[in-house]
Amino acid sequence: FNCILMIFIGFIFSAFYLFKPKPITLSFLPYFGKDSLVINKNYFSEIIRDSVSIQSLRFYLSDINLIKNGRKIYQVKNQHNLIDISKKLQVKLFTKSELEFDSIQFDFGVDSLSQVSGAMGGDLDPLKGMYWSWQSGYINFKLEGKSNICNTRNHVFQFHIGGYIFPYNTIQHIILPVQNKTNINIKLNIKKLLSQIDLKNVNQVMSPSEKSVEISKQFANFFSIE
């Protein structure tokens, strides 16, 4: 009897792990054109006819939704993920059951409700270096690097894009079609983003402004599914 009981218990545990839904992993893969992006490596840009190196790339991801036929079937609320090219490039979604979906939607930045709630812990901790002040709020996207075309000290460029109050609201809603249901690789083409910026004349954006809004409108264009 004991032997039969042990076999039965083993079967139950095996079935549990076999049919337990696997987490959906979002992996962000930074690129410069066709090349994987490596910190401090020089890449040539045909647009500016000069080399570019990236020193820092960080951004916030929030309000993740899984979509099926235009309808939300799964939503992650009140969770903000700070994606950092040098530390964290993945987000895991833990669903209670297997889901069929055809697209993923998320906010690129920190929503206005969280902004007015004040600085919080976790990835929203001000010590993460992505918070300006209660008035200006969080930096949604931070890109820093170097290019000889920049007429700045040490040829650096700095784009700290944020703002949540009209007319400088920079949060962007991104929606991407997907096919792989458990491992979703999302490419970020930084070369494509920089090609929309006149680095020679625009190389520092450090506060909410018209230029911040202008740059934020390009965010949707440099995402794609691998």
Side-chain angles (χ1 to χ4, degrees):
F1 176 79
N2 289 337
C3 182
I4 296 175
L5 180 61
M6 292 299 294
I7 293 174
F8 177 74
I9 292 174
F11 173 77
I12 294 297
F13 273 99
S14 297
F16 173 77
Y17 284 105
L18 181 63
F19 295 105
K20 182 181 179 182
K22 297 178 181 179
I24 299 168
T25 303
L26 310 183
S27 297
F28 291 87
L29 311 178
Y31 277 75
F32 195 92
K34 297 180 180 180
D35 300 318
S36 295
L37 183 64
V38 178
I39 290 295
N40 293 323
K41 180 179 177 180
N42 286 325
Y43 298 90
F44 184 76
S45 171
E46 299 84 0
I47 303 297
I48 63 174
R49 297 180 180 179
D50 209 330
S51 62
V52 174
S53 65
I54 303 300
Q55 298 174 317
S56 176
L57 171 59
R58 312 175 78 197
F59 58 87
Y60 275 111
L61 195 74
S62 60
D63 195 21
I64 302 172
N65 294 279
L66 301 180
I67 310 293
K68 178 67 174 179
N69 296 327
R71 184 175 63 90
K72 295 180 182 179
I73 61 171
Y74 178 78
Q75 184 176 25
V76 182
K77 291 184 177 181
N78 303 319
Q79 178 178 317
H80 300 83
N81 301 278
L82 178 57
I83 306 300
D84 187 333
I85 185 177
S86 65
K87 297 178 182 178
K88 175 186 174 183
L89 284 170
Q90 287 189 339
V91 175
K92 289 186 181 295
L93 309 180
F94 296 93
T95 62
K96 294 182 179 179
S97 61
E98 296 289 346
L99 297 175
E100 288 292 327
F101 54 95
D102 53 36
S103 57
I104 183 169
Q105 176 182 301
F106 54 85
D107 284 349
F108 195 65
V110 179
D111 61 277
S112 58
L113 181 60
S114 298
Q115 297 271 12
V116 298
S117 297
M120 292 176 274
D123 278 0
L124 291 179
D125 192 322
L127 294 178
K128 300 288 185 180
M130 296 289 285
Y131 186 70
W132 278 315
S133 67
W134 67 268
Q135 189 173 18
S136 298
Y138 285 90
I139 301 169
N140 291 331
F141 172 82
K142 181 182 286 189
L143 177 66
E144 299 176 342
K146 287 185 178 182
S147 178
N148 290 329
I149 200 172
C150 297
N151 187 25
T152 57
R153 185 176 181 182
N154 297 323
H155 305 291
V156 301
F157 58 83
Q158 296 176 305
F159 298 110
H160 296 185
I161 308 301
Y164 67 97
I165 300 174
F166 181 83
Y168 303 137
N169 185 3
T170 59
I171 193 168
Q172 297 294 322
H173 307 288
I174 312 296
I175 184 165
L176 299 168
V178 295
Q179 293 181 344
N180 191 322
K181 303 303 183 184
T182 55
N183 296 294
I184 303 173
N185 294 325
I186 303 175
K187 293 178 63 175
L188 301 91
N189 192 340
I190 299 304
K191 181 179 182 180
K192 193 171 184 178
L193 175 64
L194 288 178
S195 70
Q196 303 300 314
I197 302 173
D198 180 7
L199 273 182
K200 185 175 183 179
N201 298 302
V202 180
N203 39 58
Q204 286 196 340
V205 179
M206 305 294 287
S207 62
S209 62
E210 291 183 9
K211 185 56 67 174
S212 287
V213 174
E214 181 182 323
I215 293 175
S216 72
K217 290 180 179 179
Q218 300 297 325
F219 290 156
N221 298 324
F222 76 98
F223 283 106
S224 63
I225 297 296
E226 186 180 58

